[in-house]
Amino acid sequence: MVNWILKKILGSKNQREIRRLRPIVEKINEIEVQLQSLSDDALRAKTAQWKEALSKIEDPEAQEKYLNEILPEAFAVVKNGARRLVGREVIVNGQPNTWNMVHFDVQLIGGIVLHQGKIAEMATGEGKTLVATLPLYLNALAGRGAHLVTVNDYLAKRDSDWMGTLFNFLGLTCGCIQHDQPPDFRREQYACDITYGTNSEFGFDYLRDNGMATSRELQVQRGYAYAIVDEVDSILIDEARTPLIISGPSTVSSHQFDKFKPLVEQLVKKQTILCNQLAAEGEELFKNGKNEEAGKIFFRIKLGQPRHKALLRAMEDPERRRAIDKAELSMHGDSQKTELFALKESLYFTIDERAHEADLTELGREFLSPGDPDAFVLPDLITQFAEIDTNPELTEEQKLAAKSDRQAHCDAQAQRMHNISQLLRAYCLFEKDVQYVVEENKVVIVDEFTGRKMAGRRWSDGLHQAVEAKEGVQIDKETQTLATITIQNYFRLYRKLAGMTGTAETEVNEFHDIYKLDVVVIPTNRPCIRKDLNDLIFKTRREKYNAVVNEIKGAYGRKQPVLVGTVSVEASELLSRMLKREKIPHTVLNAKYHAQEAEIVARAGQAGAVTISTNMAGRGTDIKLGPGVTEVGGLYVIGTERHESRRIDRQLRGRCSRQGDPGLSRFYVSFEDDLMRNFGAAERMTKMMERFGMKEGEELEHPWLNKSVETAQKRVEQRNYQMRRRTLEFDDVMNKQREVVYGFRNETIDTDEPRKLIFEIIEEAVPAKVNELLAPDANDGRPDYTALLGWINSTFPLGITPESAQFEKMETEEIANWVVEKVKDSYNLKVKHEDQNAVIGLERYIILNAIDRLWQEHLFAMDSLREAVYLRAYGQKDPLVEYKTEAYEIFVDLMARIKNEVLNNLFRSTSNLLAFEQLLSSLPQNFLSQEDPLEGPSAESSPRELVGVTIRSDENKIGRNDPCPCGSGRKYKSCCGRTA
Ligand code: ADP
Ligand code: MG
């Protein structure tokens, strides 16, 4: 009821919105009529005039205002341009085509919505490609670039060729980013007024520009003013879980998957044997009418192997299913906790299919590591540390050593447990040809929503390697992240973002809450006359597929084309085999070869065509009906399973009945489908099956059942939304850090005077270090000047002696200022006689190098932190809070380390060390101290000593175990080197 009211209100709000835009549409059309009398050149001249006017406006807000004012006329120019092109030949992807489009009114409405930075929901076939030309043209006039983002390279090329004709005609340039282009070429594409490309190309260019390029010339993008994301739901929602990552080989490799694989394999076998025995027992009990006991036994199988065949078979039988559900329900009561625990412990491991988790039990641990019950338990570090701390027999150093030993032991333990749990997941939850395929000795992820193979992407956290170990293919080296961003965060960079898709309505809340994007549903050009039939519900998958094949046979007989949607590659192949047996010619698409698939999908509307396709294969290509097809009812869309998300189902249905065509859609569902097993109200379904007395081969159909399926879908959608939200919350932390670091990096690249930055760093980092080193020592409460001297002399060529410095007589702040000035002076001196251009380059390089090296280390640390906080979740702490707190700490530390690294390299990487030394030897002896008010000219210090031991290139860097150069007699690592 509440929903219904909400819908009424929302619906009418949407209608009001559309109604408000109608007058603008009329105005556009009026102006367009007037424009018809202009010459082509006069029309084109408008573009140049507007560009000129806008180039004089600096403020983006003011530009936006101007754009709003000229919108009706600018849209009219685009529409009129389209009209002038009608009949003209256009080469699209190498194929000749004839331009035949002039914007419909609803397309003008869509264009306005896109200009406003909202999502336009427009059904498939409504011509979104053409709609985008209106706001792209308008926004490109501002001269800051306008981007159109598509889902694959093929579509980017097709749309930029096609729409580029119109832009060029109107006097704008249009470029296209493709995967294999070199940087120079890319820069030219970005320099165009309008640029088409895929989300990952745009995102990777961003990462390369900001995280790797070392000069402006190597950067290709030029800002983020306006982007329209085509198929926006697919990009902002489906892809939300896999970030873009640029990685290189890792320097450390720690996995032991190959070592544990045989063990885990045996463990899984053991469990299978156990479950087989249980199944036999349970079967016997059921036969003897002992349902309650049998139910318990099968529930145990469910805990250990949720996809066990005997279990799935038992679930088909209403009576047995009820017994199993009852056993499960009874176990979840509070009083049953011990019994549930005992049940779990009778297995080797337990699987939670819904949560995607696998847990070892005591039995399993004993099997993997006989006689060592602690091998898979994380030690209690806190207690151990406390014991060490209170042990009077240990010296401080021994305590430290003991602690780091305990810590290392704990890390190894955690690593082993992690490897094994990932292997278990790989074996029990990841099925070949469903979640992944094996190709050319590689494990390739299959996107669960689209069925698309995601070449090059890897599961994180060792899972990918675990699956590689399972499949016996080469286990790829662990890679280290060099740069990463989620697609969402990339799009948040744009000043104005808009999107278009056929299916946004079910995700209105998510778009609004996370991206601040409103959705406006645009009416279709012609009324949609598609018939959506009720779902047909079967007991088993087998019966379902038989029915689907029969239905296809019928349609094929009357020459009605059928598009069959599946949720996995495996299902597509199963269906294909069944059709082959029936001798029904058909085509299978797995969303792999975009170009070929586009051609095949385009033919899917011909009489008698049967096309099997995973969800998104051939997306973006519309299906035109062949001759005679309208008479037999248009395209028939059959879904072989309800998808986890209603949106994907809507997408499939939407592939027929475009532009007022007839069409028909129906979903086939079985109780064995994952969605039904995991999220359908099991109890209710079982009752229903009994009530209707379902028999072999029979099906159910009722609007009420559709509702019940949709309830299950909403539940999953909600859960998935929460998961995406969570991922984003974690990513937000990284995002803020990335902004700071990339900002600093770009400042370094852009500045003509990197020395200013270097001096700022000196002014910040030197006092910080002085404060740190002079903090009253715990032992005697006095500042440690020796350490300070050691640090100064090993970092800068100042050759300061205790006598020359007289630190005891100064306040800490004074000392800091004094050192800062010394360092600056000597730096100025160093660079004075070098090639100034080379110095600028070198200075920039010193900073960039420090940022890049430490930032990459930091990314690695952040990854580990993310893993670590999940382990802590057991300790009732919120992982996100923990993550935020610690991430902040290590980030502050990172910034300090970057600055220190710059200091360390200032004098080490001189472009002309020799020149510097010669210069020094020619100077008056007291050069460095001559302006120092605190100190008279020092007789002892010769120029040579001024440089002393302190100028060193990387080769003769002191080793950690060498005696400290400060003369303390301690090792370098436990003296001045301890913070370096
Ligand atoms: P969508 O992306 O909305 O599914 P497309 O942009 O792929 O739709 O366009 C679908 C088809 O409609 C294309 O063949 C296109 O040529 C055609 N089309 C779009 N707009 C018009 C128009 N105004 N007049 C005639 N044909 C159009
Ligand atoms: Mg499209």
Side-chain angles (χ1 to χ4, degrees), residues 444-482:
V444 181
I445 302 181
V446 173
D447 185 300
E448 64 174 299
F449 286 99
T450 61
R452 203 157 16 115
K453 287 177 206 160
M454 302 166 76
R457 300 261 185 113
R458 292 174 66 82
W459 284 303
S460 58
D461 209 12
L463 182 61
H464 209 93
Q465 287 144 300
V467 176
E468 285 168 339
K470 168 186 166 191
E471 292 298 336
V473 304
Q474 154 104 33
I475 303 179
D476 272 350
K477 234 196 261 139
E478 263 162 283
T479 52
Q480 131 119 59
T481 306
L482 301 182

mmCIF file of all heavy atoms in Angstrom, residues 444-482:
data_model
loop_
_atom_site.group_PDB
_atom_site.id
_atom_site.type_symbol
_atom_site.label_atom_id
_atom_site.label_comp_id
_atom_site.label_asym_id
_atom_site.label_seq_id
_atom_site.Cartn_x
_atom_site.Cartn_y
_atom_site.Cartn_z
ATOM 1 N N VAL A 444 39.739 -17.051 -16.190
ATOM 2 C CA VAL A 444 39.142 -15.777 -16.581
ATOM 3 C C VAL A 444 37.796 -15.610 -15.873
ATOM 4 O O VAL A 444 36.934 -16.491 -15.940
ATOM 5 C CB VAL A 444 38.918 -15.725 -18.111
ATOM 6 C CG1 VAL A 444 38.327 -14.386 -18.513
ATOM 7 C CG2 VAL A 444 40.222 -15.990 -18.840
ATOM 8 N N ILE A 445 37.635 -14.500 -15.184
ATOM 9 C CA ILE A 445 36.396 -14.244 -14.446
ATOM 10 C C ILE A 445 35.241 -14.017 -15.412
ATOM 11 O O ILE A 445 35.398 -13.350 -16.426
ATOM 12 C CB ILE A 445 36.536 -12.991 -13.565
ATOM 13 C CG1 ILE A 445 37.695 -13.151 -12.601
ATOM 14 C CG2 ILE A 445 35.249 -12.702 -12.817
ATOM 15 C CD1 ILE A 445 37.892 -11.961 -11.676
ATOM 16 N N VAL A 446 34.099 -14.590 -15.081
ATOM 17 C CA VAL A 446 32.900 -14.301 -15.854
ATOM 18 C C VAL A 446 32.023 -13.404 -14.993
ATOM 19 O O VAL A 446 31.700 -13.753 -13.863
ATOM 20 C CB VAL A 446 32.139 -15.597 -16.193
ATOM 21 C CG1 VAL A 446 30.812 -15.281 -16.846
ATOM 22 C CG2 VAL A 446 32.978 -16.487 -17.083
ATOM 23 N N ASP A 447 31.674 -12.263 -15.514
ATOM 24 C CA ASP A 447 30.832 -11.346 -14.749
ATOM 25 C C ASP A 447 29.492 -12.005 -14.485
ATOM 26 O O ASP A 447 28.805 -12.408 -15.413
ATOM 27 C CB ASP A 447 30.620 -10.068 -15.545
ATOM 28 C CG ASP A 447 29.851 -9.042 -14.743
ATOM 29 O OD1 ASP A 447 28.707 -9.328 -14.340
ATOM 30 O OD2 ASP A 447 30.387 -7.965 -14.536
ATOM 31 N N GLU A 448 29.124 -12.103 -13.209
ATOM 32 C CA GLU A 448 27.915 -12.858 -12.906
ATOM 33 C C GLU A 448 26.661 -12.151 -13.396
ATOM 34 O O GLU A 448 25.636 -12.764 -13.573
ATOM 35 C CB GLU A 448 27.826 -13.162 -11.415
ATOM 36 C CG GLU A 448 27.691 -11.927 -10.572
ATOM 37 C CD GLU A 448 27.462 -12.263 -9.105
ATOM 38 O OE1 GLU A 448 26.435 -12.911 -8.833
ATOM 39 O OE2 GLU A 448 28.281 -11.882 -8.261
ATOM 40 N N PHE A 449 26.748 -10.869 -13.615
ATOM 41 C CA PHE A 449 25.558 -10.169 -14.073
ATOM 42 C C PHE A 449 25.412 -10.219 -15.579
ATOM 43 O O PHE A 449 24.324 -10.294 -16.104
ATOM 44 C CB PHE A 449 25.603 -8.697 -13.645
ATOM 45 C CG PHE A 449 25.329 -8.544 -12.199
ATOM 46 C CD1 PHE A 449 26.373 -8.394 -11.300
ATOM 47 C CD2 PHE A 449 24.034 -8.567 -11.742
ATOM 48 C CE1 PHE A 449 26.112 -8.267 -9.960
ATOM 49 C CE2 PHE A 449 23.769 -8.439 -10.397
ATOM 50 C CZ PHE A 449 24.807 -8.288 -9.503
ATOM 51 N N THR A 450 26.540 -10.136 -16.266
ATOM 52 C CA THR A 450 26.441 -9.974 -17.705
ATOM 53 C C THR A 450 26.867 -11.216 -18.457
ATOM 54 O O THR A 450 26.626 -11.327 -19.637
ATOM 55 C CB THR A 450 27.357 -8.828 -18.156
ATOM 56 O OG1 THR A 450 28.696 -9.181 -17.803
ATOM 57 C CG2 THR A 450 26.984 -7.555 -17.468
ATOM 58 N N GLY A 451 27.533 -12.151 -17.766
ATOM 59 C CA GLY A 451 28.033 -13.326 -18.464
ATOM 60 C C GLY A 451 29.241 -12.980 -19.304
ATOM 61 O O GLY A 451 29.761 -13.789 -20.059
ATOM 62 N N ARG A 452 29.715 -11.737 -19.183
ATOM 63 C CA ARG A 452 30.829 -11.288 -19.970
ATOM 64 C C ARG A 452 32.131 -11.768 -19.354
ATOM 65 O O ARG A 452 32.296 -11.756 -18.140
ATOM 66 C CB ARG A 452 30.813 -9.769 -19.986
ATOM 67 C CG ARG A 452 31.503 -9.180 -21.125
ATOM 68 C CD ARG A 452 31.023 -7.753 -21.436
ATOM 69 N NE ARG A 452 30.255 -7.078 -20.399
ATOM 70 C CZ ARG A 452 30.703 -5.985 -19.778
ATOM 71 N NH1 ARG A 452 31.878 -5.500 -20.045
ATOM 72 N NH2 ARG A 452 29.937 -5.381 -18.898
ATOM 73 N N LYS A 453 33.077 -12.200 -20.164
ATOM 74 C CA LYS A 453 34.377 -12.574 -19.628
ATOM 75 C C LYS A 453 35.168 -11.304 -19.352
ATOM 76 O O LYS A 453 35.228 -10.424 -20.190
ATOM 77 C CB LYS A 453 35.136 -13.423 -20.641
ATOM 78 C CG LYS A 453 34.562 -14.819 -20.733
ATOM 79 C CD LYS A 453 35.261 -15.625 -21.793
ATOM 80 C CE LYS A 453 34.292 -16.675 -22.282
ATOM 81 N NZ LYS A 453 34.659 -17.198 -23.580
ATOM 82 N N MET A 454 35.746 -11.258 -18.179
ATOM 83 C CA MET A 454 36.448 -10.038 -17.829
ATOM 84 C C MET A 454 37.948 -10.295 -17.874
ATOM 85 O O MET A 454 38.593 -10.463 -16.846
ATOM 86 C CB MET A 454 36.010 -9.571 -16.457
ATOM 87 C CG MET A 454 34.508 -9.344 -16.430
ATOM 88 S SD MET A 454 33.832 -9.190 -14.806
ATOM 89 C CE MET A 454 34.323 -7.551 -14.388
ATOM 90 N N ALA A 455 38.465 -10.331 -19.090
ATOM 91 C CA ALA A 455 39.878 -10.638 -19.275
ATOM 92 C C ALA A 455 40.737 -9.632 -18.534
ATOM 93 O O ALA A 455 40.458 -8.433 -18.547
ATOM 94 C CB ALA A 455 40.214 -10.618 -20.755
ATOM 95 N N GLY A 456 41.752 -10.127 -17.867
ATOM 96 C CA GLY A 456 42.686 -9.213 -17.211
ATOM 97 C C GLY A 456 42.291 -8.832 -15.803
ATOM 98 O O GLY A 456 43.106 -8.379 -15.032
ATOM 99 N N ARG A 457 41.025 -9.020 -15.463
ATOM 100 C CA ARG A 457 40.640 -8.707 -14.084
ATOM 101 C C ARG A 457 40.958 -9.913 -13.209
ATOM 102 O O ARG A 457 40.913 -11.046 -13.666
ATOM 103 C CB ARG A 457 39.142 -8.423 -13.998
ATOM 104 C CG ARG A 457 38.718 -7.267 -14.847
ATOM 105 C CD ARG A 457 38.578 -6.021 -14.006
ATOM 106 N NE ARG A 457 38.060 -4.931 -14.819
ATOM 107 C CZ ARG A 457 36.860 -4.394 -14.629
ATOM 108 N NH1 ARG A 457 36.073 -4.840 -13.684
ATOM 109 N NH2 ARG A 457 36.461 -3.397 -15.382
ATOM 110 N N ARG A 458 41.266 -9.664 -11.966
ATOM 111 C CA ARG A 458 41.555 -10.763 -11.046
ATOM 112 C C ARG A 458 40.800 -10.575 -9.739
ATOM 113 O O ARG A 458 40.604 -9.460 -9.292
ATOM 114 C CB ARG A 458 43.061 -10.827 -10.754
ATOM 115 C CG ARG A 458 43.884 -11.241 -11.949
ATOM 116 C CD ARG A 458 45.371 -11.138 -11.643
ATOM 117 N NE ARG A 458 45.816 -12.077 -10.631
ATOM 118 C CZ ARG A 458 46.118 -13.354 -10.880
ATOM 119 N NH1 ARG A 458 46.008 -13.831 -12.091
ATOM 120 N NH2 ARG A 458 46.517 -14.147 -9.913
ATOM 121 N N TRP A 459 40.370 -11.710 -9.153
ATOM 122 C CA TRP A 459 39.814 -11.597 -7.812
ATOM 123 C C TRP A 459 40.931 -11.215 -6.884
ATOM 124 O O TRP A 459 42.088 -11.612 -7.078
ATOM 125 C CB TRP A 459 39.229 -12.935 -7.362
ATOM 126 C CG TRP A 459 37.929 -13.256 -7.989
ATOM 127 C CD1 TRP A 459 36.789 -12.517 -7.968
ATOM 128 C CD2 TRP A 459 37.626 -14.430 -8.756
ATOM 129 N NE1 TRP A 459 35.803 -13.152 -8.662
ATOM 130 C CE2 TRP A 459 36.279 -14.325 -9.149
ATOM 131 C CE3 TRP A 459 38.341 -15.559 -9.132
ATOM 132 C CZ2 TRP A 459 35.645 -15.297 -9.900
ATOM 133 C CZ3 TRP A 459 37.702 -16.525 -9.879
ATOM 134 C CH2 TRP A 459 36.379 -16.399 -10.260
ATOM 135 N N SER A 460 40.576 -10.518 -5.850
ATOM 136 C CA SER A 460 41.641 -10.026 -4.988
ATOM 137 C C SER A 460 41.857 -10.975 -3.824
ATOM 138 O O SER A 460 41.181 -12.001 -3.707
ATOM 139 C CB SER A 460 41.270 -8.649 -4.475
ATOM 140 O OG SER A 460 40.056 -8.732 -3.804
ATOM 141 N N ASP A 461 42.797 -10.618 -3.012
ATOM 142 C CA ASP A 461 42.967 -11.300 -1.753
ATOM 143 C C ASP A 461 43.360 -12.758 -1.894
ATOM 144 O O ASP A 461 43.032 -13.596 -1.065
ATOM 145 C CB ASP A 461 41.624 -11.202 -0.994
ATOM 146 C CG ASP A 461 41.830 -11.226 0.487
ATOM 147 O OD1 ASP A 461 42.996 -11.088 0.886
ATOM 148 O OD2 ASP A 461 40.852 -11.408 1.222
ATOM 149 N N GLY A 462 44.046 -13.099 -2.990
ATOM 150 C CA GLY A 462 44.542 -14.473 -3.132
ATOM 151 C C GLY A 462 43.526 -15.454 -3.688
ATOM 152 O O GLY A 462 43.865 -16.581 -4.015
ATOM 153 N N LEU A 463 42.266 -15.015 -3.799
ATOM 154 C CA LEU A 463 41.251 -15.940 -4.294
ATOM 155 C C LEU A 463 41.568 -16.398 -5.720
ATOM 156 O O LEU A 463 41.405 -17.560 -6.069
ATOM 157 C CB LEU A 463 39.883 -15.264 -4.239
ATOM 158 C CG LEU A 463 38.727 -16.128 -4.690
ATOM 159 C CD1 LEU A 463 38.595 -17.356 -3.815
ATOM 160 C CD2 LEU A 463 37.420 -15.347 -4.660
ATOM 161 N N HIS A 464 42.032 -15.466 -6.517
ATOM 162 C CA HIS A 464 42.315 -15.818 -7.906
ATOM 163 C C HIS A 464 43.383 -16.900 -7.977
ATOM 164 O O HIS A 464 43.263 -17.873 -8.721
ATOM 165 C CB HIS A 464 42.755 -14.582 -8.691
ATOM 166 C CG HIS A 464 42.410 -14.658 -10.147
ATOM 167 N ND1 HIS A 464 41.252 -14.140 -10.654
ATOM 168 C CD2 HIS A 464 43.064 -15.218 -11.182
ATOM 169 C CE1 HIS A 464 41.202 -14.371 -11.953
ATOM 170 N NE2 HIS A 464 42.299 -15.026 -12.304
ATOM 171 N N GLN A 465 44.413 -16.739 -7.176
ATOM 172 C CA GLN A 465 45.481 -17.740 -7.188
ATOM 173 C C GLN A 465 44.984 -19.071 -6.659
ATOM 174 O O GLN A 465 45.399 -20.125 -7.134
ATOM 175 C CB GLN A 465 46.657 -17.253 -6.356
ATOM 176 C CG GLN A 465 47.398 -16.156 -7.067
ATOM 177 C CD GLN A 465 47.883 -15.155 -6.090
ATOM 178 O OE1 GLN A 465 47.090 -14.547 -5.374
ATOM 179 N NE2 GLN A 465 49.172 -14.977 -6.028
ATOM 180 N N ALA A 466 44.076 -19.015 -5.687
ATOM 181 C CA ALA A 466 43.533 -20.261 -5.160
ATOM 182 C C ALA A 466 42.789 -21.011 -6.266
ATOM 183 O O ALA A 466 42.920 -22.224 -6.414
ATOM 184 C CB ALA A 466 42.603 -19.965 -3.985
ATOM 185 N N VAL A 467 42.020 -20.267 -7.061
ATOM 186 C CA VAL A 467 41.291 -20.917 -8.154
ATOM 187 C C VAL A 467 42.273 -21.438 -9.205
ATOM 188 O O VAL A 467 42.104 -22.519 -9.761
ATOM 189 C CB VAL A 467 40.264 -19.952 -8.791
ATOM 190 C CG1 VAL A 467 39.580 -20.587 -9.977
ATOM 191 C CG2 VAL A 467 39.225 -19.527 -7.762
ATOM 192 N N GLU A 468 43.343 -20.679 -9.439
ATOM 193 C CA GLU A 468 44.366 -21.155 -10.371
ATOM 194 C C GLU A 468 44.992 -22.446 -9.865
ATOM 195 O O GLU A 468 45.212 -23.394 -10.637
ATOM 196 C CB GLU A 468 45.445 -20.079 -10.560
ATOM 197 C CG GLU A 468 44.984 -18.933 -11.443
ATOM 198 C CD GLU A 468 45.923 -17.725 -11.410
ATOM 199 O OE1 GLU A 468 46.692 -17.586 -10.446
ATOM 200 O OE2 GLU A 468 45.878 -16.930 -12.353
ATOM 201 N N ALA A 469 45.242 -22.512 -8.575
ATOM 202 C CA ALA A 469 45.808 -23.730 -8.003
ATOM 203 C C ALA A 469 44.839 -24.891 -8.194
ATOM 204 O O ALA A 469 45.214 -25.978 -8.609
ATOM 205 C CB ALA A 469 46.106 -23.518 -6.519
ATOM 206 N N LYS A 470 43.567 -24.614 -7.935
ATOM 207 C CA LYS A 470 42.550 -25.658 -8.073
ATOM 208 C C LYS A 470 42.511 -26.197 -9.500
ATOM 209 O O LYS A 470 42.441 -27.395 -9.722
ATOM 210 C CB LYS A 470 41.189 -25.065 -7.708
ATOM 211 C CG LYS A 470 39.993 -25.935 -8.083
ATOM 212 C CD LYS A 470 38.704 -25.179 -7.811
ATOM 213 C CE LYS A 470 37.519 -25.850 -8.483
ATOM 214 N NZ LYS A 470 36.322 -24.993 -8.452
ATOM 215 N N GLU A 471 42.576 -25.317 -10.488
ATOM 216 C CA GLU A 471 42.471 -25.740 -11.875
ATOM 217 C C GLU A 471 43.800 -26.244 -12.427
ATOM 218 O O GLU A 471 43.887 -26.631 -13.596
ATOM 219 C CB GLU A 471 41.956 -24.587 -12.747
ATOM 220 C CG GLU A 471 40.512 -24.202 -12.456
ATOM 221 C CD GLU A 471 39.520 -25.341 -12.726
ATOM 222 O OE1 GLU A 471 39.858 -26.228 -13.540
ATOM 223 O OE2 GLU A 471 38.452 -25.343 -12.111
ATOM 224 N N GLY A 472 44.830 -26.184 -11.603
ATOM 225 C CA GLY A 472 46.121 -26.684 -12.055
ATOM 226 C C GLY A 472 46.735 -25.849 -13.167
ATOM 227 O O GLY A 472 47.562 -26.338 -13.929
ATOM 228 N N VAL A 473 46.319 -24.589 -13.301
ATOM 229 C CA VAL A 473 46.978 -23.738 -14.293
ATOM 230 C C VAL A 473 48.066 -22.948 -13.576
ATOM 231 O O VAL A 473 48.135 -22.937 -12.347
ATOM 232 C CB VAL A 473 45.990 -22.774 -14.985
ATOM 233 C CG1 VAL A 473 44.861 -23.544 -15.620
ATOM 234 C CG2 VAL A 473 45.459 -21.740 -14.012
ATOM 235 N N GLN A 474 48.876 -22.304 -14.355
ATOM 236 C CA GLN A 474 49.959 -21.504 -13.808
ATOM 237 C C GLN A 474 49.432 -20.487 -12.789
ATOM 238 O O GLN A 474 48.525 -19.722 -13.080
ATOM 239 C CB GLN A 474 50.601 -20.773 -14.985
ATOM 240 C CG GLN A 474 51.286 -19.483 -14.646
ATOM 241 C CD GLN A 474 52.776 -19.685 -14.648
ATOM 242 O OE1 GLN A 474 53.330 -20.481 -15.421
ATOM 243 N NE2 GLN A 474 53.430 -18.985 -13.762
ATOM 244 N N ILE A 475 49.999 -20.543 -11.595
ATOM 245 C CA ILE A 475 49.577 -19.570 -10.578
ATOM 246 C C ILE A 475 50.334 -18.273 -10.820
ATOM 247 O O ILE A 475 51.550 -18.224 -10.696
ATOM 248 C CB ILE A 475 49.884 -20.073 -9.155
ATOM 249 C CG1 ILE A 475 49.195 -21.419 -8.925
ATOM 250 C CG2 ILE A 475 49.421 -19.051 -8.128
ATOM 251 C CD1 ILE A 475 49.456 -22.012 -7.563
ATOM 252 N N ASP A 476 49.602 -17.260 -11.201
ATOM 253 C CA ASP A 476 50.280 -16.019 -11.560
ATOM 254 C C ASP A 476 50.907 -15.378 -10.345
ATOM 255 O O ASP A 476 50.396 -15.469 -9.243
ATOM 256 C CB ASP A 476 49.304 -15.048 -12.225
ATOM 257 C CG ASP A 476 49.261 -15.286 -13.714
ATOM 258 O OD1 ASP A 476 50.128 -16.049 -14.204
ATOM 259 O OD2 ASP A 476 48.384 -14.731 -14.377
ATOM 260 N N LYS A 477 52.000 -14.728 -10.615
ATOM 261 C CA LYS A 477 52.694 -14.059 -9.535
ATOM 262 C C LYS A 477 51.780 -13.042 -8.890
ATOM 263 O O LYS A 477 50.965 -12.418 -9.557
ATOM 264 C CB LYS A 477 53.910 -13.322 -10.103
ATOM 265 C CG LYS A 477 55.178 -13.727 -9.378
ATOM 266 C CD LYS A 477 56.282 -12.743 -9.668
ATOM 267 C CE LYS A 477 57.184 -13.277 -10.743
ATOM 268 N NZ LYS A 477 57.631 -12.363 -11.731
ATOM 269 N N GLU A 478 51.925 -12.924 -7.612
ATOM 270 C CA GLU A 478 51.154 -11.892 -6.961
ATOM 271 C C GLU A 478 51.582 -10.560 -7.558
ATOM 272 O O GLU A 478 52.756 -10.331 -7.786
ATOM 273 C CB GLU A 478 51.454 -11.877 -5.474
ATOM 274 C CG GLU A 478 50.425 -12.647 -4.692
ATOM 275 C CD GLU A 478 50.940 -12.998 -3.323
ATOM 276 O OE1 GLU A 478 51.735 -13.937 -3.229
ATOM 277 O OE2 GLU A 478 50.556 -12.316 -2.382
ATOM 278 N N THR A 479 50.608 -9.736 -7.783
ATOM 279 C CA THR A 479 50.986 -8.464 -8.353
ATOM 280 C C THR A 479 50.851 -7.395 -7.306
ATOM 281 O O THR A 479 50.119 -7.546 -6.336
ATOM 282 C CB THR A 479 50.105 -8.116 -9.549
ATOM 283 O OG1 THR A 479 48.767 -8.248 -9.132
ATOM 284 C CG2 THR A 479 50.412 -9.008 -10.724
ATOM 285 N N GLN A 480 51.547 -6.346 -7.538
ATOM 286 C CA GLN A 480 51.496 -5.252 -6.591
ATOM 287 C C GLN A 480 50.788 -4.098 -7.263
ATOM 288 O O GLN A 480 51.019 -3.792 -8.427
ATOM 289 C CB GLN A 480 52.918 -4.922 -6.202
ATOM 290 C CG GLN A 480 53.280 -3.475 -6.269
ATOM 291 C CD GLN A 480 53.689 -2.981 -4.912
ATOM 292 O OE1 GLN A 480 54.622 -3.486 -4.328
ATOM 293 N NE2 GLN A 480 52.977 -2.004 -4.418
ATOM 294 N N THR A 481 49.871 -3.493 -6.535
ATOM 295 C CA THR A 481 49.106 -2.402 -7.099
ATOM 296 C C THR A 481 49.973 -1.162 -7.267
ATOM 297 O O THR A 481 50.616 -0.729 -6.325
ATOM 298 C CB THR A 481 47.938 -2.068 -6.168
ATOM 299 O OG1 THR A 481 47.217 -3.266 -5.946
ATOM 300 C CG2 THR A 481 47.051 -1.029 -6.772
ATOM 301 N N LEU A 482 49.989 -0.618 -8.482
ATOM 302 C CA LEU A 482 50.735 0.618 -8.702
ATOM 303 C C LEU A 482 49.796 1.815 -8.655
ATOM 304 O O LEU A 482 50.169 2.900 -8.257
ATOM 305 C CB LEU A 482 51.443 0.590 -10.050
ATOM 306 C CG LEU A 482 52.435 -0.555 -10.256
ATOM 307 C CD1 LEU A 482 53.102 -0.441 -11.612
ATOM 308 C CD2 LEU A 482 53.485 -0.571 -9.163
#
